[in-house]
Amino acid sequence: MADALSVVPAAVLRNLADKLYEKRKNAALEVEGIVKQLAANGEHDKITAVINLLTTEFTYSPQANHRKGGLIGLAAATVGLTTDAAQHLEEIVPPVLNSFSDQDSRVRYYACEALYNIAKVVRGDFIIFFNQIFDVLCKLSADSDANVQSAAHLLDRLVKDIVTESDQFSIEEFIPLLRERMNVLNPYVRQFLVGWITVLDSVPDIDMLGFLPDFLDGLFNMLSDSSHEIRQQADSALSEFLQEIKNSPSVDYGRMAEILVQRAGSSDEFTRLTAITWINEFVKLGGDQLVPYYADILGAILPCISDKEEKIRVVACETNEELRAIKADPTEAFDVGAILSIARRQLSSEWEATRIEALHWISTLLNRHRTEVLAFLNDIFDTLLKALSDPSDEVVLVVLDVHACIAKDPQHFRHLVVFLVHTFRLDNSLLEKRGALIIRRLCVLLNAERVYRELSTILEGESDSDFASIMVQALNLILLTSSELSEIRYLLKQSLVNPAGKDLYIALYASWCHSPMAIISLCFIAQTYQHASAVIQSLVEEDINPKFLVQLDKLIHLLETPIFAYLRLQLLEPGRYIWLFKALYGLLMLLPQQSAAFKILKTRLKAVPSYSFNGMQSKRMPSGDSYQFLHHMSNGSQIIEDDDLTKDGGSSHNGINFDARLQQFQQMQHLHRMHFKAQTKSLNNSTPLPKEAQREEEPSRTQSIDLNVLPHRSSKRGPGQLKL
């Protein structure tokens, strides 16, 4: 201290602490001259003493004017040192940096000015303090005083110039500082940080791209800033980095992919678009490097496929196709289970397009990695079954494609059909709304005969007789009306002459017994008209209930469709098809006379031309067989209905034992009647309804059996719906 006082006159020290800027400035110029002289003489000990004096007595003084004078004095001393300043920086810079946190804004301003002048003198030697300087500049960029901000900006530009021309700058030491501040929300700090990222990225010798994962998330965070300028700066920086990635032979895609996946789910539209654009480029460029991140990337893409913004949807769809085109192997870290988990989760998305693409991914994995997918079948099967109730028909069709792909194996086929029946049992509305769509599609994908045989086998042993009846009625209606099942109908028509047709007829018969009308329809298709007549004759009072009459109404209307054109043409030969007439008249006798169905069938039967009876003679066979009629036509030819039934004693034909079939039908109907009586008894034993409620229910029951209203015509239903 004594050495400094002997070197610096007291008047200079007094003026250095003066409240007037001019006096402080003049005093600083004198300090500059003194230090310059000492440096020329090599008296560095005295220079150190002067610096210590300025630091302890001025920059750390409780008086603001002293602190201002000390800062300008240190800057002046540095200027006086010129080339020798580097060896005294450890003494000069710390007190200046300390002044940046001063409560007095003017002191902070002079600290910026002092450091600016010091940096101009020492240039590259200044780098050793870069981290501390960056820290204070980051804080001053958001200073409450506009003058301090302005001074900090000038200092910032100078420091950037020094860094870009220095070979001592350490990017490794700088990145942690940058990463620590990237999530700051202050707009001034954000501008400051983006400015530094852009400047450093422009320096050829600094590899900012290699450290991009450290601050990429922060840049994306700035894309949703309220300031348009900050969003623009962040977007510009990201665009530049993306271009560098395209041109770089080596990029760490993995770490950045994790960030992009999170940002693709941002609530900000611009952030989502930028993130999905980056993911798109990564999928194109990264290829195999992204295999471990496939599931995460897919989880980001699928929701964006249904984004409200068209640009995002377009990029997401393109990315999805690019990702699907990359064929990876499970032995190469390709996690089939993780992707299936993502796809399964997206099946519950509120957006149809996303659900469809999730199903396409499951289908793709089944085609490429069937064994691995089937290992996870228990994890996804229930979800796939629930998807059959999806409100979108298109989703249901794709779900069925997936199910069909799984069911290529016999054990999985059985599994599918069993679970499908189980689902229909639990949700009758699904059967009504989607039953036809589901069954028809499966018939196309998995062979109609195979599907119907399996369904029949399951329903034959169904314990819930009410459900079994409903299900059989639904299957029968699909069989009668769907173009996809035309081959089955053709095969059934040959039941009396073709072994394959006979086997199918017998296979369906067992479960069709759950519904009288289904059995009668099956007989009409198979042209076993005598058996149809026998079934009709076997019906008892309990069988002819409102449900039966509704089903009968539907059958009568179906008889007028092209599917039964062959049957109507057979009415031209009543002598040959007498059992057909008897069966139809039997149905006519069961219908209420005032119903529309009665009038339709009666009109049809009356339309049979009278000339077809001319010259016709019929007689019973000498054998007395009740099943066979021999008819002699006018031309002398012999035509027998249902072909030659004399084999097997007249009770069977082509291996079909009709007596046994009729007994089977009657036993099943007996079980249904017992079940109905048990239900009725249980209902009667329960608490009775109030009289008012009973009176309210009566009209609805009466209305339900009014056959003048055609339920299948008056109700509106969409594609794939059944009216049971």
Side-chain angles (χ1 to χ4, degrees):
M1 183 72 71
D3 289 342
L5 293 174
S6 65
V7 173
V8 182
V12 172
L13 295 176
R14 189 168 51 253
N15 287 335
L16 201 59
D18 198 275
K19 64 179 181 179
L20 295 176
Y21 172 73
E22 287 299 326
K23 288 186 177 182
R24 294 198 302 272
K25 182 180 178 182
N26 290 331
L29 290 174
E30 291 190 41
V31 170
E32 178 186 335
I34 292 169
V35 172
K36 184 180 293 185
Q37 185 62 44
L38 291 173
N41 296 333
E43 298 179 82
H44 286 279
D45 290 341
K46 291 183 179 181
I47 294 173
T48 300
V50 171
I51 294 172
N52 288 336
L53 175 65
L54 292 172
T55 301
T56 57
E57 297 298 321
F58 287 87
T59 58
Y60 292 132
S61 171
Q63 300 296 321
N65 289 331
H66 280 68
R67 298 198 295 274
K68 296 173 187 176
L71 290 168
I72 195 171
L74 288 173
T78 306
V79 173
L81 284 167
T82 58
T83 56
D84 295 325
Q87 59 184 297
H88 294 281
L89 283 180
E90 293 283 356
E91 303 152 15
I92 295 172
V93 174
V96 177
L97 292 175
N98 183 68
S99 299
F100 280 113
S101 57
D102 198 285
Q103 293 183 348
D104 192 318
S105 62
R106 296 303 296 167
V107 174
R108 298 197 299 274
Y109 176 85
Y110 283 117
C112 290
E113 184 181 78
L115 196 58
Y116 182 88
N117 289 324
I118 293 169
K120 282 181 65 177
V121 173
V122 298
R123 303 297 291 186
D125 295 325
F126 194 61
I127 293 298
I128 61 172
F129 296 100
F130 175 78
N131 286 359
Q132 298 97 307
I133 294 170
F134 180 83
D135 185 51
V136 297
L137 284 175
C138 187
K139 295 175 182 176
L140 292 178
S141 65
D143 198 277
S144 57
D145 188 282
N147 291 324
V148 176
Q149 278 194 30
S150 179
H153 290 159
L154 288 173
L155 175 60
D156 181 52
R157 283 199 291 270
L158 176 60
V159 175
K160 285 174 181 172
D161 289 341
I162 293 171
V163 168
T164 55
E165 65 187 26
S166 172
D167 57 0
Q168 300 178 36
F169 175 74
S170 173
I171 184 65
E172 290 81 5
E173 294 179 8
F174 168 71
I175 290 299
L177 284 174
L178 180 63
R179 183 175 58 239
E180 187 180 324
R181 291 161 177 77
M182 282 304 293
N183 290 321
V184 174
L185 300 179
N186 188 285
Y188 298 108
V189 175
R190 285 184 161 183
Q191 283 185 310
F192 170 79
L193 295 174
V194 175
W196 269 99
I197 291 171
T198 304
V199 167
L200 293 177
D201 187 48
S202 66
V203 180
D205 295 334
I206 297 178
D207 180 24
M208 284 293 282
L209 184 59
F211 294 95
L212 181 56
D214 291 286
F215 55 87
L216 180 63
D217 189 60
L219 281 176
F220 267 94
N221 203 28
M222 295 179 190
L223 290 175
S224 58
D225 195 278
S226 57
S227 167
H228 174 72
E229 185 177 356
I230 294 174
R231 293 199 303 272
Q232 197 171 39
Q233 288 177 347
D235 180 50
S236 178
L238 286 168
S239 298
E240 185 61 34
F241 277 118
L242 185 57
Q243 190 59 46
E244 290 178 30
I245 289 172
K246 293 179 182 179
N247 299 329
S248 176
S250 177
V251 177
D252 181 4
Y253 291 102
R255 285 180 61 197
M256 288 188 285
E258 295 175 357
I259 296 169
L260 297 174
V261 164
Q262 293 183 350
R263 290 298 171 181
S266 170
S267 58
D268 179 68
E269 183 180 295
F270 187 51
T271 303
R272 291 199 308 277
L273 176 59
T274 307
I276 202 69
T277 301
W278 274 61
I279 291 175
N280 179 270
E281 294 295 339
F282 275 28
V283 170
K284 293 177 181 177
L285 299 168
D288 295 340
Q289 290 187 46
L290 294 174
V291 170
Y293 305 95
Y294 265 31
D296 293 335
I297 293 174
L298 184 63
I301 292 172
L302 290 178
C304 289
I305 287 174
S306 303
D307 199 278
K308 60 182 179 181
E309 174 57 43
E310 183 181 3
K311 292 180 181 178
I312 297 175
R313 293 198 303 272
V314 170
V315 178
C317 289
E318 179 184 330
T319 308
N320 185 53
E321 294 306 316
E322 291 280 351
L323 191 65
R324 189 152 40 212
I326 300 174
K327 297 182 179 179
D329 193 275
T331 60
E332 302 171 352
F334 182 73
D335 193 339
V336 173
I339 294 180
L340 281 174
S341 179
I342 291 293
R344 182 190 63 192
R345 187 163 66 243
Q346 292 301 328
L347 285 179
S348 60
S349 168
E350 61 179 311
W351 305 110
E352 177 184 328
T354 294
R355 299 196 300 275
I356 289 174
E357 285 307 318
L359 289 166
H360 282 319
W361 267 98
I362 296 176
S363 181
T364 298
L365 291 176
L366 274 167
N367 290 327
R368 294 180 184 173
H369 312 290
R370 182 176 182 82
T371 303
E372 289 79 4
V373 173
L374 293 181
F376 294 97
L377 187 58
N378 290 336
D379 297 333
I380 64 172
F381 198 77
D382 286 345
T383 305
L384 289 172
L385 281 175
K386 290 177 182 177
L388 292 172
S389 303
D390 195 278
S392 164
D393 283 346
E394 187 174 354
V395 171
V396 173
L397 289 174
V398 182
V399 171
L400 291 171
D401 287 346
V402 173
H403 277 300
C405 189
I406 295 172
K408 288 179 180 178
D409 299 331
Q411 69 272 26
H412 293 128
F413 173 77
R414 170 75 180 181
H415 194 199
L416 167 63
V417 181
V418 168
F419 270 85
L420 186 60
V421 172
H422 176 70
T423 304
F424 284 148
R425 185 190 303 110
L426 296 178
D427 185 4
N428 282 159
S429 64
L430 176 64
L431 177 61
E432 181 178 345
K433 295 176 182 177
R434 287 282 168 68
L437 178 67
I438 293 171
I439 300 299
R440 289 168 61 184
R441 186 61 182 168
L442 286 179
C443 286
V444 170
L445 297 170
L446 293 173
N447 182 282
E449 183 179 347
R450 183 186 180 198
V451 171
Y452 260 68
R453 281 179 177 271
E454 192 66 44
L455 285 168
S456 181
T457 300
I458 295 169
L459 291 171
E460 181 182 355
E462 174 61 48
S463 58
D464 185 344
S465 58
D466 288 338
F467 165 72
S469 177
I470 293 172
M471 186 73 190
V472 165
Q473 290 168 19
L475 292 174
N476 184 63
L477 184 60
I478 297 168
L479 176 63
L480 294 177
T481 59
S482 301
S483 58
E484 294 87 347
L485 276 73
S486 59
E487 292 186 9
I488 289 188
R489 291 195 296 272
Y490 178 76
L491 192 59
L492 285 170
K493 285 179 185 178
Q494 303 179 61
S495 297
L496 296 174
V497 295
N498 186 329
K502 175 207 70 173
D503 289 343
L504 179 58
Y505 178 82
I506 293 174
L508 298 184
Y509 193 100
S511 60
W512 257 238
C513 284
H514 283 292
S515 168
M517 196 47 58
I519 280 291
I520 295 169
S521 302
L522 182 64
C523 291
F524 280 170
I525 297 176
Q527 303 185 75
T528 55
Y529 301 132
Q530 184 173 1
H531 188 65
S533 179
V535 168
I536 295 170
Q537 295 277 355
S538 72
L539 296 175
V540 298
E541 179 182 346
E542 293 93 333
D543 298 330
I544 308 172
N545 52 40
K547 291 182 180 178
F548 173 84
L549 293 175
V550 170
Q551 292 296 316
L552 177 54
D553 178 273
K554 292 178 184 177
L555 177 59
I556 300 306
H557 284 85
L558 284 172
L559 292 176
E560 298 298 314
T561 64
I563 290 173
F564 282 106
Y566 70 91
L567 183 148
R568 298 196 300 274
L569 291 173
Q570 287 171 351
L571 294 177
L572 295 174
E573 302 179 77
R576 182 178 181 183
Y577 297 100
I578 191 168
W579 288 112
L580 171 59
F581 271 87
K582 189 169 183 179
L584 291 176
Y585 270 107
L587 294 179
L588 186 68
M589 294 302 105
L590 296 178
L591 284 166
Q593 291 190 50
Q594 299 304 315
S595 66
F598 179 89
K599 296 174 182 176
I600 291 172
L601 183 55
K602 183 179 179 182
T603 303
R604 172 59 64 186
L605 291 172
K606 289 175 66 176
V608 176
S610 59
Y611 70 82
S612 62
F613 293 94
N614 294 337
M616 183 190 76
Q617 295 180 353
S618 65
K619 64 180 179 179
R620 299 286 290 230
M621 289 295 292
S623 64
D625 185 354
S626 62
Y627 194 83
Q628 182 179 7
F629 274 80
L630 179 65
H631 306 282
H632 296 277
M633 305 303 291
S634 57
N635 60 4
S637 63
Q638 179 175 296
I639 302 175
I640 306 170
E641 182 181 6
D642 294 345
D643 289 326
D644 184 4
L645 304 183
T646 57
K647 299 176 184 178
D648 301 321
S651 65
S652 66
H653 178 67
N654 194 27
I656 303 176
N657 189 327
F658 287 103
D659 287 345
R661 298 281 82 78
L662 182 60
Q663 186 177 7
Q664 184 181 22
F665 169 74
Q666 290 172 332
Q667 289 174 347
M668 183 66 75
Q669 289 308 301
H670 176 72
L671 292 176
H672 275 267
R673 288 192 288 271
M674 292 300 98
H675 176 73
F676 176 75
K677 289 178 180 178
Q679 280 187 323
T680 304
K681 183 177 180 181
S682 175
L683 190 63
N684 291 337
N685 290 336
S686 63
T687 305
L689 290 171
K691 292 183 178 180
E692 292 79 1
Q694 291 178 4
R695 284 197 296 270
E696 288 177 2
E697 287 208 342
E698 283 301 321
S700 63
R701 285 202 296 268
T702 303
Q703 189 175 17
S704 66
I705 61 172
D706 183 3
L707 294 178
N708 289 306
V709 180
L710 303 182
H712 65 285
R713 287 190 173 182
S714 60
S715 62
K716 295 182 179 178
R717 58 184 188 273
Q721 291 187 355
L722 291 168
K723 187 63 178 178
L724 302 176

